[in-house]
Amino acid sequence: MKSIQVLRAAAVAFSVAGAFGVQAQTLKLGHITPPTDVWHQVSEQIGAGLEKASGGKMKVAVSPLQKLGNEAQMINLMQAGAQQFGVFTVGGLSNREESFLAWSLPYTFKDVAHATRAASTPAAKTMLKRLEPHGMVGLGYTFAGMRHVLSLQPVASAKDLANKKIRSFPSPIYNDWWQANGAAPTAMPLSEVAPSLTTKLLDAVDVDLDALVGLKFHQQAPNLTLTNHMAFPAVIVVSKKWWDSRSQAERDMITKVVAEAEKAGYQTAIDAEASNLTKAKADGAKVVNADLKSFQAVGAKVRDQYTAKNPLIADFYKQAKDL
């Protein structure tokens, strides 16, 4: 009986190994953040997990900081099958699938932990499915910290942002949010933020604490207002063209590895929010005592605008708030 079981196990192992092919595959994974970022850690874990699970048949080369191109360029590579994996911002993906704007609805989430729970909602999973017509298969989410305001002069309420230039993520909902607060949203690469603060071309930055600590923006703009106004997720995607050419055994293996990295990334992001605040304060950032209700009142108007225009955005907001 034991010999039969051994033979069966060997046959299964042989068939799985055969499904992966005899030659090792070197796969490309690209994202836009620096190597210190949570998203890069998740990407590295996916790479290590795939190499181990495939017995060395799948190796992943992770390229941070837009080394494979900006997000639009990387999406084009994935549609052609020339790049197999990506970790892309929901803001960038919303140019293809509008419902991803739901993740940026102001004051939907209490904190990072709340946002990670929202990734399991039916609406969040529907968003992932809607990427397939755009040449991508969505496998999961990963998170950075919540968004806050870092400024040259203290920002204690929404009115303090009147006519201030604030570096913002290039997205319609970010523009609407900051304009509703009376500010002038300005898109620019992260590499240009520090000199722009120094020369006062910028008055403030919309930023998560991970980027703040990593790039030390508080050395130019010391005032930190913990507005907590938005979450900042990314989506873990694979090229649909490449995915469709994989065996079911490979797909199952990849899905499992990504799910494990996704779960670990959630906890890393939750822990980083607290540790980064401690680091920022120790390094000179001054936390401003702010009237958050003034920001929340503006946020409600922007939320209403977006939930009214897209049913899936409305569904996501309800499901996320009900958690």
Side-chain angles (χ1 to χ4, degrees):
M1 181 63 71
K2 285 186 177 179
S3 61
I4 293 174
Q5 291 174 336
V6 168
L7 286 171
R8 285 176 177 169
V12 170
F14 180 79
S15 65
V16 171
F20 294 146
V22 294
Q23 291 185 337
Q25 305 172 59
T26 300
L27 309 171
K28 296 177 182 178
L29 190 160
H31 63 80
I32 65 170
T33 56
T36 54
D37 193 87
V38 174
W39 298 354
H40 186 75
Q41 295 174 42
V42 169
S43 300
E44 292 279 16
Q45 183 171 339
I46 290 171
L50 284 179
E51 185 168 359
K52 181 179 179 181
S54 67
K57 297 293 192 298
M58 285 188 176
K59 297 181 183 293
V60 178
V62 178
S63 298
L65 287 170
Q66 304 188 67
K67 289 181 180 177
L68 296 179
N70 61 32
E71 287 190 333
Q73 292 167 331
M74 285 191 280
I75 288 170
N76 288 338
L77 289 174
M78 296 193 79
Q79 290 170 334
Q83 178 180 329
Q84 291 76 31
F85 289 83
V87 177
F88 300 144
T89 62
V90 292
L93 291 173
S94 69
N95 293 325
R96 267 76 178 179
E97 170 50 47
E98 184 186 57
S99 62
F100 279 106
L101 291 171
W103 283 101
S104 301
L105 293 172
Y107 293 104
T108 298
F109 306 107
K110 177 183 176 183
D111 50 27
V112 178
H114 183 185
T116 64
R117 293 194 297 274
S120 298
T121 60
K125 292 178 179 179
T126 298
M127 292 176 202
L128 297 182
K129 289 294 294 180
R130 288 191 178 183
L131 288 173
E132 294 189 17
H134 302 284
M136 293 169 283
V137 176
L139 294 183
Y141 291 91
T142 184
F143 291 81
M146 299 296 287
R147 310 296 291 184
H148 307 287
V149 176
L150 189 72
S151 54
L152 296 176
Q153 300 299 321
V155 173
S157 69
K159 63 179 174 53
D160 291 335
L161 286 168
N163 302 315
K164 301 293 186 184
K165 286 187 178 179
I166 184 166
R167 188 272 176 183
S168 174
F169 187 84
S171 166
I173 194 166
Y174 276 79
N175 289 341
D176 289 342
W177 159 246
W178 288 120
Q179 286 171 359
N181 278 288
T186 304
M188 67 171 61
L190 283 175
S191 59
E192 296 178 16
V193 170
S196 295
L197 288 168
T198 300
T199 58
K200 295 185 171 54
L201 289 175
L202 283 177
D203 300 296
V205 187
D206 176 328
V207 71
D208 62 81
L209 295 179
D210 199 49
L212 184 155
V213 169
L215 298 170
K216 295 187 178 295
F217 292 149
H218 53 287
Q219 293 182 350
Q220 289 82 33
N223 299 290
L224 175 61
T225 306
L226 297 171
T227 49
N228 221 44
H229 53 273
M230 292 177 184
F232 198 66
V235 180
I236 303 165
V237 296
V238 295
S239 160
K240 188 174 188 303
K241 184 173 183 179
W242 178 77
W243 182 258
D244 288 346
S245 70
R246 299 302 94 199
S247 68
Q248 189 58 51
E250 285 180 300
R251 291 182 198 168
D252 292 344
M253 180 192 72
I254 294 163
T255 300
K256 183 173 184 291
V257 167
V258 168
E260 290 170 352
E262 179 185 34
K263 183 178 179 181
Y266 289 176
Q267 192 59 51
T268 300
I270 292 166
D271 294 343
E273 189 78 344
S275 62
N276 281 328
L277 179 57
T278 300
K279 290 175 186 175
K281 288 161 69 173
D283 199 31
K286 301 172 184 176
V287 175
V288 178
N289 185 20
D291 172 21
L292 294 183
K293 289 183 179 179
S294 66
F295 293 99
Q296 291 164 354
V298 176
K301 297 174 184 177
V302 176
R303 284 200 311 272
D304 290 347
Q305 174 186 341
Y306 280 85
T307 54
K309 69 186 288 191
N310 185 303
L312 186 53
I313 291 177
D315 288 346
F316 177 79
Y317 177 66
K318 184 178 186 303
Q319 292 167 19
K321 292 298 288 185
D322 287 345
L323 291 174

